[in-house]
Amino acid sequence: MAAAAAKYARDKDFIPILDAIDCGRYKQGLTLCNKSIKKNAGTLNLLAAKAYCLDRLGHEDEAMELCATVAKEKPIDDTTLQLLSNVYRLQSQHALIVGLYEPAVEAAPANEEFANHLFMAHVRTKNFKGIQLLASKMQKRFKSNSNKYYFWVVMAIFLQA
C-alpha cells in the first residue's frame, strides 16, 4: 500500500499545480512541477502534469517522452490518466490513449468511468470490433446503464457492416 501511495504526490504539492494549469499558467505549472519532482522523485501525477505543461508550452517531443515514461508504469489514478490522455489527444495519438486505459480498466474493472474513457478512445481510433467487445463487457458489468451499452453494441455491429 505504501509503495502504491509513493507513486502519487500528496494533494498539498499537487493542487497548486492543477490550479496553475486550470488558469492557463503553464510556465508556473512547469516550475511548480519541477520543484515538486525534486522533493518527490518518480511520482506519476507530477510527471504527467509536467508533460501536459510542456506540451502546452510547445515542447511536444519532451512531453511525449515523459508520457511514455509514465504510461509504462500503468497508472490508475484518474488525474494522471486524464493529463496523459489530454497530451495524447492534443498530439492526435489516439491509439496511445487506448493503451493507456486498457491496463487501468483491467486493474479497476468496477470503474465505469475508466471503461467509458476506453470506449471513447476506441471510437476515436475507429476500432469497431474493440467497441463492440468493450460495450458487451460494459453491458454485463454495469447493470444500471445496460440499455445504453446495449445500443452501443448494436451501433458497433452496424458500423462493422
Side-chain angles (χ1 to χ4, degrees):
M1 182 72 173
K7 287 185 175 185
Y8 302 101
R10 297 183 313 270
D11 287 343
K12 181 181 87 168
D13 298 326
F14 197 54
I15 288 176
I17 296 168
L18 292 179
D19 288 341
I21 289 172
D22 285 341
C23 294
R25 296 188 309 256
Y26 303 116
K27 281 188 178 183
Q28 180 187 6
L30 183 60
T31 304
L32 291 170
C33 283
N34 288 331
K35 287 179 184 176
S36 294
I37 288 171
K38 285 180 184 176
K39 285 193 274 182
N40 308 309
T43 53
L44 299 180
N45 54 357
L46 290 174
L47 293 173
K50 181 178 179 178
Y52 183 78
C53 289
L54 285 168
D55 184 67
R56 300 306 291 164
L57 291 170
H59 304 284
E60 292 89 0
D61 294 336
E62 193 176 346
M64 291 299 287
E65 287 175 22
L66 262 177
C67 286
T69 302
V70 175
K72 285 179 189 173
E73 297 293 323
K74 299 181 180 176
I76 56 169
D77 174 53
D78 184 47
T79 307
T80 304
L81 291 169
Q82 284 296 313
L83 287 166
L84 291 177
S85 64
N86 284 337
V87 173
Y88 289 149
R89 194 174 300 116
L90 290 167
Q91 296 299 320
S92 299
Q93 300 292 324
H94 302 295
L96 295 175
I97 299 172
V98 172
L100 185 65
Y101 274 101
E102 281 178 341
V105 169
E106 289 174 17
N111 192 326
E112 190 171 0
E113 184 179 350
F114 287 173
N116 278 314
H117 286 296
L118 179 58
F119 178 86
M120 292 303 164
H122 278 299
V123 169
R124 285 186 198 94
T125 58
K126 298 178 182 168
N127 178 2
F128 301 125
K129 187 65 176 172
I131 292 170
Q132 178 189 353
L133 294 173
L134 182 60
S136 296
K137 288 178 187 175
M138 291 169 74
Q139 180 188 7
K140 293 174 188 165
R141 191 174 296 147
F142 309 115
K143 298 292 184 189
S144 63
N145 289 324
S146 64
N147 284 342
K148 174 172 78 171
Y149 302 131
Y150 172 76
F151 290 113
W152 286 5
V153 171
V154 171
M155 287 307 301
I157 293 169
F158 177 76
L159 290 169
Q160 288 178 58

